[in-house]
Amino acid sequence: MANIASQRIKREFKEVIRSEEVARCSIKVELLDDNYSQLKGEIAGPPDTPYEGGKFLLEIKVPETYPFNPPKVKFLTKVWHPNISSVTGAICLDILKDQWAAAMTLRTVLLSLQALMASPEPDDPQDAVVARQYKGFPEIFISTAEHWTNIYAGGSRKKEEYSKKIERLMGIGCNMDQALVALSGCNWDLDKAIEQIFG
Amino acid sequence: MGYDVGRFCGSVDEELICPICVGVLEDPLQAPTCEHAFCKRCIHEWLNHQPVCPVDRQTITSVQLRPVPRILKNLLSRLTIMCENQSHGCSGIFKLDLLSSHLIECEHNPKKLIPCEQGCGFVVPKDEVKDHNCVRELRCTVQKQKQKINELQNQLSEHRFLINDLRRETSLLKEYMKVMRSTNPSVRAIVEEIERDEVVRWSNSLPRARVCRWGGMISTPDEYLQDSIKVALVESGCPSHIIDELMDNSHERNWPIGLKSLETRQSKRREYEKYICKRVPCKQAVVVLQIDNPLLDEDMMVEPGLVMIFAHGVE
Ligand SMILES: [Zn+2]
Ligand SMILES: [Zn+2]
Ligand SMILES: [Zn+2]
């Protein structure tokens, strides 16, 4: 790994560990290898959002050319958000693309992702289905995102109605992820979800 | 990229850290308006990616970068840093501005050049000495030189070829001009100039000669002797249009009045010292050309010059 990249990550890793956000359990990083090219990040779902109470894991890959190019980051924890793919965890965020600047750090990246969770940008979506729901059915979006947070990230808010519908689908041979994606995408219309899966 | 912070004694102010490489600023430059400072190499590399300040993303280009203020330079030069060859045994600690001059002479620098002790003549980086093999290196050099010689030989034969071509063309042109000169006076003038130039060039190519024994002059050379002198003249590149006249003028019957008889020769002995003579290569003979001796009296010189053959005494 290029000298400058590992030098930077060493320092940024320490910066995150010493930060007040860590003290508040709001962000976290972990090294996955000795040469500082792979890290695991974690951010807490921001308060007063559907993600509150959840812990979201991130995969962080540091390129050889860091910090001249941004780190490659994606969500490992499944999340329902217009700028994050509900299937792959890919993120649409300008600072991870053309708005990257060499002085940004792991800490600023993690904090920016937290900010993105708090304020989605549906006009620049990564997941078109989620973005459509966010704009057209805001209440459903919120409860869906809460439900996802409950299932995957350990959040406490969930809807009994949603759980029942998921069970119904699982009763006819779907797995849980499949059922959740189909129902969420159909605004929890059971017939449409069945049609989508089996039709 | 900047100096590793860990090499400095004591803590380093954040102001002196490059935001790109997080080392201590090396050859710092700053952005024009926001005045953020970076290592020269770091910021140039970044601007290859995006033309904005790495800290605040204000638009900047390479040409807008400025030297940092003196105060920042002073702060940097006051820092003390350990030699980068510490792991190779150097315990030196220096002010940052003196580091580069130390590195040149640092005894512990694994890349310091030292002459091979076996006497092969190579200078080798210290850490490569143990793998250095004089025979292999010299063989490699010989190989390279052989290659070079081959290249040069090829060039040489190409040039020879070219010269022969040019010679052939020149002689054709001369023939052509010879034909032309009889009918066209301006061509005649050109030909005469060319011929004159030829004589000058030839004369300049011959070494100056000094006759130390004028008494050894052979005033009536036989045919055999004349032939051998003529061959030497041809080989020295004597222009063909004067060679026969010159050879005719190697016998006293064609010499000017001042040389013609033994008596005049004895009385004019002093005047000979004025001759500017050129050596006929490998022969005890000199040519005295009119063009080399333009100021001599008519009774001492004839066109286009004369040849003097000696039994001995030419240097
Ligand atoms: Zn730097
Ligand atoms: Zn700036
Ligand atoms: Zn040293």
Side-chain angles (χ1 to χ4, degrees), chain A residues 74-88:
Chain A
K74 70 172 195 180
F75 276 81
L76 293 172
T77 306
K78 288 188 179 297
V79 55
W80 190 251
H81 186 286
N83 304 106
I84 302 160
S85 165
S86 58
V87 182
T88 63

Side-chain angles (χ1 to χ4, degrees), chain B residues 107-163:
Chain B
E107 284 302 318
H108 301 275
N109 181 356
K111 289 290 168 201
K112 189 182 165 76
L113 295 175
I114 50 175
C116 172
E117 284 175 0
Q118 321 274 1
C120 71
F122 283 97
V123 285
V124 193
K126 199 171 156 192
D127 63 343
E128 287 170 30
V129 167
K130 62 179 192 321
D131 296 324
H132 170 74
N133 178 329
C134 302
V135 176
R136 189 180 59 212
E137 297 295 331
L138 287 170
R139 204 180 256 171
C140 181
T141 309
V142 168
Q143 198 58 40
K144 275 186 204 144
Q145 284 178 344
K146 261 188 196 157
Q147 244 171 32
K148 188 84 196 160
I149 289 172
N150 273 340
E151 278 166 29
L152 289 173
Q153 266 171 345
N154 286 343
Q155 267 180 22
L156 190 65
S157 55
E158 264 172 44
H159 287 166
R160 280 208 185 111
F161 193 74
L162 194 67
I163 288 172

Side-chain angles (χ1 to χ4, degrees), chain A residues 3-4 7-8 11-12 65 67-69 97-104, chain B residues 1 4-5 14 17 19-22 42 45-46 49-50 53-55 57:
Chain A
N3 203 8
I4 183 163
Q7 195 93 328
R8 277 275 309 244
R11 189 179 157 105
E12 291 173 27
T65 50
F68 300 107
N69 289 307
K97 293 172 182 160
D98 55 347
Q99 295 298 301
W100 171 250
M104 290 179 184
Chain B
M1 105 167 241
D4 184 349
V5 178
E14 277 298 312
I17 304 283
I20 298 176
C21 68
V22 297
C42 294
E45 171 71 17
W46 166 254
H49 288 78
Q50 290 192 53
C53 171
V55 178
R57 296 194 55 89

Side-chain angles (χ1 to χ4, degrees), chain B residues 193-212:
Chain B
E193 197 173 326
I194 290 173
E195 285 177 349
R196 208 187 116 79
D197 282 352
E198 270 181 289
V199 177
V200 171
R201 256 200 311 277
W202 172 60
S203 165
N204 288 341
S205 76
L206 297 175
R208 275 290 287 274
R210 199 171 73 84
V211 178
C212 47

Side-chain angles (χ1 to χ4, degrees), chain B residues 249 251-261 264 275 297-302 306:
Chain B
N249 297 348
H251 196 282
E252 67 173 6
R253 66 174 169 261
N254 290 328
W255 282 353
I257 302 163
L259 294 172
K260 214 147 199 173
S261 65
T264 49
Y275 279 137
D297 291 344
E298 252 175 55
D299 61 352
M300 293 292 289
M301 180 50 72
V302 289
L306 44 93

